[in-house]
Amino acid sequence: MNILKLLTAGSVDDGKSTLIGRLLYDSEAILIDQLEALQRSNRKNDDGTIDLAILTDGLKAEREQGITIDVAYKYFQTEKRKFIIADTPGHIQYTRNMVTGASNSNLAIILVDARKGVIEQTIRHTFLVSLLGLPQVVVAVNKMDMVDFDEKVFDTIVADYKKLAAKVGLENVAYIPVSALKGDNIVFESKRTPWYKGSSLLAHLETVEIPVDTQSEHARFPVQWIIRPQTDELHDYRGYAGRVSSGSFRVNDKVTVLPSGFSSTISQIELYDQEPALATAGMSVTLHLADEIDISRGDILVSAENTPHVSKQIETDLCWMDTRALDTTQTYFLQHNSRITRCRIQEILYKFNINTLEKAYDEDFKLNDIGRIIIKTADALAFDFYQDNNANGGAILIDARTNVTVGALMFRANAE
Amino acid sequence: MDYLDELEAEAIYILREVAGQFEKPALLFSGGKDSITIVHLALKAFRPGKFPFPLVHIDTGHNFEETITYRDEMIARIGEKLIVGHVQDDIDAGNAIEQKGKNASRNQLQTVTLLNTIAKHKFDACIGGARRDEEKARAKERIFSVRDEFGQWDPKRQRPELWNLYNGKIHTGENVRVFPISNWTELDVWNYIRRENIPLPTIYFAHEREVITRGGQYMAASPFLNLDEDDLIERKNVRFRTVGDMTCTAAVESNAHHIDDIINEISASRVSERGARMDDKVSEAAMEDRKKGGYF
Ligand SMILES: Nc1nc2c(ncn2[C@@H]2O[C@H](COP(=O)(O)OP(=O)(O)O)[C@@H](O)[C@H]2O)c(=O)[nH]1
C-alpha cells in the first residue's frame, strides 16, 4: 500500500469541502466521536442533512467568520491506498495556499460547477497545477444534480477543458461527473449517470498511477548531516545522512559532489541496522564514499553520468507569497535542498496574468503574483530545471528581515 | 515504497533537518507511544552517532508509575541525555497555581514548565509527537511551527511550507516546534510500532486496575484525583490509548494484551484517540486555545 497526496481546487462554493466530507463519510473514515460533534453542530443543509463541509473546517476564527483561511490536511485510507488531502479553500490568499498545497501533492482534483462550466478560476487553477508540474489531474464536474445529470452539460465542459489542458500542457486528465452533496460518483457509482462509463472518484484515486523517478542517471542526494561518532571503535566512521530526492544509488556507483566537483564511488549504503543494495527516491539513508572528501551540509551527491547545472545565475518562475511586495533592492535568503544562500533579484522578465494566461510586463510583485525573473545567488547552486526534476528544481525565498517564507521558485533555465 | 517506509523516511528527513538547522534543539519526550516512536526514528536518523539533542520530559508529578519506569529504562538502553522539568518546581516557586475541585488537573500547568524549561536551556527547536489527524486545529499545523517568545502559536503567522523545504530561520527568543510524524495517523503509529517491534509502557495493554467513572469515561483511581462520596471505585480490565497526566487520561475497557489486539480494537472502535482525553472535551475549540497559549 502506498500514499497518494492530493489537492482540491475550486472557487468558493464549488463544493470542495462538501466533496472531501463526502469522500470521508462514504468511505467510513469519520470516527464516531467526530460524527457526534458533527451532529451536535447546528449547521445543517437546507434539507436537514448534516453539512459535511464542517469536517474540513479548522480554526475558530474561521468558524466564526464562516471561511477557511489556510491549508488543512486530512487523512483517510481504504484497503488499497492511504490518502493525504491538502484542503486549500478559495479566497484572496488562494494562489499562495494552492501553490503550497500543490507542491506537496501528486494529484489535483479541479472542481467545476456544472452550472458555470470552465470559468476564469478554472483557468487559474489549471495554470497553477501545470506550473507546479503535478503528474495527475481529475476534473470533477460537481453539482450534476442541479443540471439533471445531463450528459450534454458534462460533454461541453469536458470539451472546453480539453482545450485549456492542451494550452497549458496538462497530459493526464480524468473527467468525472459528480454530486458531492448527494454522493453521486464520489465513492459509489451513480445510477443517475448511466451514460458515464468511467469509475467513481474514489475508485480512480485508488488506482491512478503515482510516477516515481528512480532512474539511476537522475540520482540526487542532498547531504543533510554528517554522522561522525568519533568513538574508539568507530574512529574513522564518516557517513553522509540525507534523503534521495530523485533517481537511485547503488554501491559502486560513481558519484560527483557538488558544487565542489570532486568524484568518488559509493562504498556502502546504510539504513540503521540494514544495508540496502539500492537507495531510491524518497529513502532516507546514510551513504559512505570510497574516498575521503570534504563534504558538508548543503552539498549534493549526484550521478557522475548526469550532473545538474551549477550556476549563480538562474532564470526562474516566482510565486510571491507575502503581503509585502517583492523588493528588488533587498537581499533575500534562498533555500534549495539543504543549502541556504543569499540572493538578489537581478531582473523581472515578465508576469503571468493567471486568468488569461497572457504575459504582462510590470515591475511590481505583490501577494499571489506569478512571473519569470532572473536571480543571482551568493553561492553556486547545483540544480535541475523544475520541469525535468521537481525535486531538485524548486526553492524558497526567505525575507532576511522577518525570516518569513515569501516566495516559491521553480528553476527554468541557466542564465549564466 | 510502502506507506510505512515513506512515513519513516519523511520523519527521518525532518529530524535531520532539525539537526542541521538549529543550534540547540530538544526532543520532547512524554512517555507516550508517539514520542517513543520518535525516539526510535531518531535512532534511525543518527546512529551510530549520538543524538544531536537531549530528551526533555515535562513531569507533572501525576505520572503513571509505568511511564517513569519505561522512561528510565529506555534512557539507560539508548544512552542519551535526559532533562526533566518538574511542574512541582513551578508550583513551589509560585509560577503556577494548582487547580482546585473535582476535575483538577496539572495538564494546563505543563505549559508553564515547558516554557520555563525552553527558556532556561535556550532551546531553539522542540521536537514533538503531535499528529495532524488528532484534532481539527492540528490539521493546519505546519511541520516547522514558529512560536514567539511566549510560546504562542498564531495561525495567521504560519509560514507556507513548500515541497520538503522547511524554513527554520527565527529571531532570538523565538523557537520552533517540529512535528516529524505530522502525516501519521494513530493506526500508522501502531502499525509501525508492531513492524519495528518497539517496546511500550505496560499501560498501553489491557490490565486490571481500579477506576472511577467521570463524564462517562474511566479514570485511573489515584491519589491525584479529588474523590468525593459519589465516586465509585471499581476494578476493570482497561488499557490507555494515550499517556499523559493521570488526572486527565481516560482508559477504555479492553482485553487487548497484544499489539495485534490493539490494532484490531482501534480499527473496529472508530472513536478518535483524543475522544479519550478529558481536556479536549471542554469545548470544540479547546485545543486551539491551548495551542495559542504555548501547549503543543
Ligand atoms: N446541489 C448541490 N449543492 C452542492 C453540491 N456540492 C456542494 N453543494 C453546496 O454548495 C455550497 C458550497 O459548498 P462548500 O462545500 O462549502 O464549497 P467550498 O467553498 O468549495 O468548500 C453548499 O451549500 C453545499 O451544500 C452538489 O453536488 N450539489
Side-chain angles (χ1 to χ4, degrees):
Chain A
M1 187 158 73
N2 58 12
I3 305 177
L4 178 72
K5 297 183 175 177
L6 60 119
L7 156 99
T8 52
S11 1
V12 183
D13 284 344
D14 278 353
K16 286 178 306 297
S17 313
T18 309
L19 180 105
I20 295 172
R22 173 61 67 183
L23 262 180
L24 299 174
Y25 190 79
D26 281 357
S27 61
E28 306 198 338
I30 301 174
L31 299 161
I32 291 164
D33 53 328
Q34 293 169 342
L35 207 58
E36 283 167 2
L38 202 67
Q39 271 147 358
R40 273 202 305 276
S41 134
N42 50 19
R43 251 170 69 186
K44 292 268 162 35
N45 289 318
D46 299 341
D47 60 359
T49 52
I50 40 177
D51 181 358
L52 293 171
I54 305 176
L55 281 170
T56 54
D57 281 2
L59 300 173
K60 198 160 66 171
E62 300 165 35
R63 278 200 295 282
E64 280 157 9
Q65 293 162 30
I67 50 152
T68 7
I69 47 171
D70 207 40
V71 188
Y73 294 89
K74 279 273 149 199
Y75 301 80
F76 78 106
Q77 85 182 71
T78 65
E79 310 224 304
K80 302 214 175 81
R81 216 169 230 177
K82 277 187 69 72
F83 299 95
I84 302 180
I85 309 178
D87 182 19
T88 59
H91 71 113
I92 321 163
Q93 299 220 340
Y94 193 57
T95 297
R96 158 188 148 141
N97 294 340
M98 187 173 152
V99 167
T100 305
S103 77
N104 290 307
S105 302
N106 326 101
L107 179 146
I109 300 176
I110 295 185
L111 268 97
V112 175
D113 186 326
R115 297 167 305 172
K116 297 184 193 153
V118 174
I119 54 172
E120 196 171 279
Q121 274 96 330
T122 321
I123 299 176
R124 190 193 309 172
H125 301 149
T126 302
F127 171 73
L128 294 178
V129 163
S130 78
L131 185 79
L132 272 291
L134 268 70
Q136 298 283 356
V137 175
V138 175
V139 174
V141 180
N142 191 32
K143 307 199 183 183
M144 284 301 292
D145 55 301
M146 297 184 91
V147 297
D148 293 326
F149 295 94
D150 186 346
E151 181 180 5
K152 283 199 213 74
V153 173
F154 180 72
D155 287 347
T156 309
I157 292 173
V158 171
D160 288 349
Y161 195 90
K162 281 189 170 156
K163 284 181 217 143
L164 175 61
K167 200 163 164 189
V168 300
L170 278 189
E171 277 162 20
N172 303 315
V173 187
Y175 301 88
I176 309 181
V178 302
S179 168
L181 188 67
K182 312 285 181 190
D184 297 80
N185 291 329
I186 302 290
V187 170
F188 308 110
E189 282 174 24
S190 171
K191 291 198 176 61
R192 297 191 279 190
T193 53
W195 42 266
Y196 171 68
K197 301 293 178 240
S199 42
S200 71
L201 177 63
L202 182 66
H204 179 75
L205 297 179
E206 283 181 327
T207 49
V208 68
E209 205 189 314
I210 313 168
V212 186
D213 178 2
T214 54
Q215 294 180 66
S216 63
E217 60 267 34
H218 293 161
R220 305 284 184 259
F221 183 85
V223 175
Q224 292 181 272
W225 181 251
I226 317 290
I227 298 180
R228 288 216 68 182
Q230 290 175 308
T231 54
D232 289 344
E233 67 270 34
L234 292 167
H235 190 74
D236 295 323
Y237 184 103
R238 196 181 172 89
Y240 305 107
R243 191 177 189 190
V244 181
S245 65
S246 64
S248 59
F249 292 88
R250 266 179 209 284
V251 174
N252 291 330
D253 276 359
K254 280 189 74 73
V255 293
T256 302
V257 183
L258 292 173
S260 70
F262 291 115
S263 288
S264 185
T265 45
I266 303 222
S267 57
Q268 193 191 0
I269 301 173
E270 272 186 294
L271 202 182
Y272 191 46
D273 52 0
Q274 292 162 32
E275 291 197 21
L278 179 73
T280 56
M283 285 172 71
S284 282
V285 294
T286 302
L287 298 182
H288 295 260
L289 297 184
D291 308 276
E292 226 170 87
I293 304 176
D294 184 23
I295 296 176
S296 46
R297 177 179 162 85
D299 291 345
I300 182 168
L301 307 186
V302 303
S303 158
E305 319 274 279
N306 171 19
T307 56
H309 309 275
V310 180
S311 149
K312 289 183 176 179
Q313 223 158 218
I314 306 169
E315 184 178 323
T316 173
D317 282 332
L318 165 68
C319 172
W320 191 253
M321 306 188 137
D322 199 30
T323 43
R324 196 139 126 190
L326 170 71
D327 182 346
T328 47
T329 66
Q330 286 286 328
T331 358
Y332 290 90
F333 288 118
L334 181 152
Q335 188 172 345
H336 173 243
N337 294 321
S338 51
R339 176 174 288 269
I340 296 180
T341 178
R342 287 182 179 271
C343 85
R344 266 181 194 286
I345 314 307
Q346 191 158 348
E347 196 181 343
I348 295 177
L349 298 174
Y350 52 83
K351 284 201 330 196
F352 291 107
N353 179 332
I354 61 174
N355 297 323
T356 60
L357 306 183
E358 273 152 18
K359 288 176 190 170
Y361 297 85
D362 104 52
E363 291 289 293
D364 253 10
F365 248 95
K366 295 196 290 292
L367 179 65
N368 295 323
D369 281 351
I370 295 175
R372 184 69 61 90
I373 62 171
I374 292 177
I375 52 160
K376 189 163 196 226
T377 57
D379 300 337
L381 297 181
F383 65 98
D384 290 287
F385 300 152
Y386 188 82
Q387 58 272 29
D388 301 334
N389 183 340
N390 292 3
N392 195 38
I396 55 171
L397 281 186
I398 299 167
D399 189 316
R401 299 160 293 184
T402 61
N403 290 331
V404 169
T405 305
V406 291
L409 298 173
M410 283 133 294
F411 299 153
R412 299 297 182 186
N414 188 351
E416 215 161 58
Chain B
M1 258 167 117
D2 177 65
Y3 76 101
L4 286 179
D5 290 329
E6 198 171 328
L7 293 172
E8 176 190 75
E10 178 183 68
I12 293 173
Y13 170 82
I14 294 163
L15 288 170
R16 288 169 171 172
E17 278 306 288
V18 174
Q21 291 197 36
F22 296 94
E23 300 283 323
K24 262 210 108 184
L27 194 168
L28 296 180
F29 181 78
S30 69
K33 65 174 194 319
D34 298 318
S35 56
I36 290 169
T37 298
I38 293 184
V39 170
H40 185 78
L41 291 162
L43 291 169
K44 293 205 171 191
F46 302 111
R47 286 292 184 257
K50 284 249 163 207
F51 291 2
F53 38 68
L55 278 69
V56 171
H57 181 217
I58 302 303
D59 181 355
T60 62
H62 291 172
N63 298 298
F64 290 95
E65 214 180 283
E66 295 89 334
T67 314
I68 301 300
T69 311
Y70 180 94
R71 180 194 76 187
D72 295 342
E73 280 173 13
M74 185 196 77
I75 291 296
R77 173 163 48 88
I78 63 176
E80 297 288 344
K81 186 176 172 196
L82 174 73
I83 293 170
V84 182
H86 296 278
V87 171
Q88 189 64 50
D89 292 350
D90 281 302
I91 294 173
D92 294 345
N95 301 330
I97 296 170
E98 189 103 68
Q99 291 182 348
K100 296 209 170 56
K102 193 163 164 141
N103 289 320
S105 157
R106 285 187 170 179
N107 217 34
Q108 308 268 329
L109 309 186
Q110 278 184 81
T111 308
V112 176
T113 308
L114 172 63
L115 296 182
N116 286 344
T117 309
I118 291 173
K120 181 170 157 208
H121 295 273
K122 299 200 165 58
F123 292 130
D124 52 2
C126 295
I127 301 160
R131 306 188 319 269
R132 286 175 180 149
D133 83 319
E134 283 178 74
E135 212 271 346
K136 275 198 228 165
R138 293 226 200 254
K140 316 207 152 194
E141 183 57 285
R142 302 296 194 266
I143 307 268
F144 274 30
S145 176
V146 181
R147 304 303 166 94
D148 65 17
E149 56 187 311
F150 306 103
Q152 294 187 104
W153 179 70
D154 177 355
K156 293 214 171 70
R157 262 189 69 217
Q158 296 303 305
R159 300 166 178 179
E161 270 178 355
L162 292 129
W163 300 287
N164 55 4
L165 298 171
Y166 303 115
N167 170 6
K169 285 211 173 286
I170 48 172
H171 295 292
T172 329
E174 292 178 335
N175 64 79
V176 176
R177 305 287 168 86
V178 180
F179 305 111
I181 59 167
S182 283
N183 284 327
W184 301 41
T185 63
E186 184 186 17
L187 202 53
D188 296 335
V189 174
W190 281 109
N191 280 319
Y192 185 73
I193 289 172
R194 171 164 65 181
R195 184 183 93 168
E196 301 288 310
N197 247 316
I198 305 172
L200 286 183
T202 50
I203 55 169
Y204 277 109
F205 300 96
H207 56 285
E208 201 182 283
R209 176 183 289 270
E210 290 192 335
V211 295
I212 61 156
T213 309
R214 286 265 170 94
Q217 294 184 303
Y218 293 124
M219 307 299 294
S222 75
F224 315 124
L225 272 188
N226 296 332
L227 300 187
D228 60 30
E229 55 273 19
D230 300 339
D231 289 317
L232 174 70
I233 299 184
E234 303 170 88
R235 290 195 76 82
K236 293 272 178 197
N237 272 323
V238 295
R239 66 178 178 84
F240 293 85
R241 285 182 78 172
T242 63
V243 171
D245 187 286
M246 279 193 92
T247 57
C248 67
T249 309
V252 290
E253 265 197 291
S254 167
N255 284 311
H257 294 283
H258 185 267
I259 191 157
D260 291 338
D261 308 330
I262 293 180
I263 289 172
N264 286 339
E265 271 189 20
I266 295 171
S267 319
S269 92
R270 305 187 57 228
V271 171
S272 78
E273 165 190 32
R274 291 220 153 253
R277 288 186 74 144
M278 303 275 279
D279 46 325
D280 285 341
K281 286 236 155 161
V282 182
S283 84
E284 230 200 295
M287 170 65 93
E288 196 177 317
D289 288 338
R290 286 192 306 148
K291 271 173 74 78
K292 284 187 181 160
Y295 175 85
F296 253 63

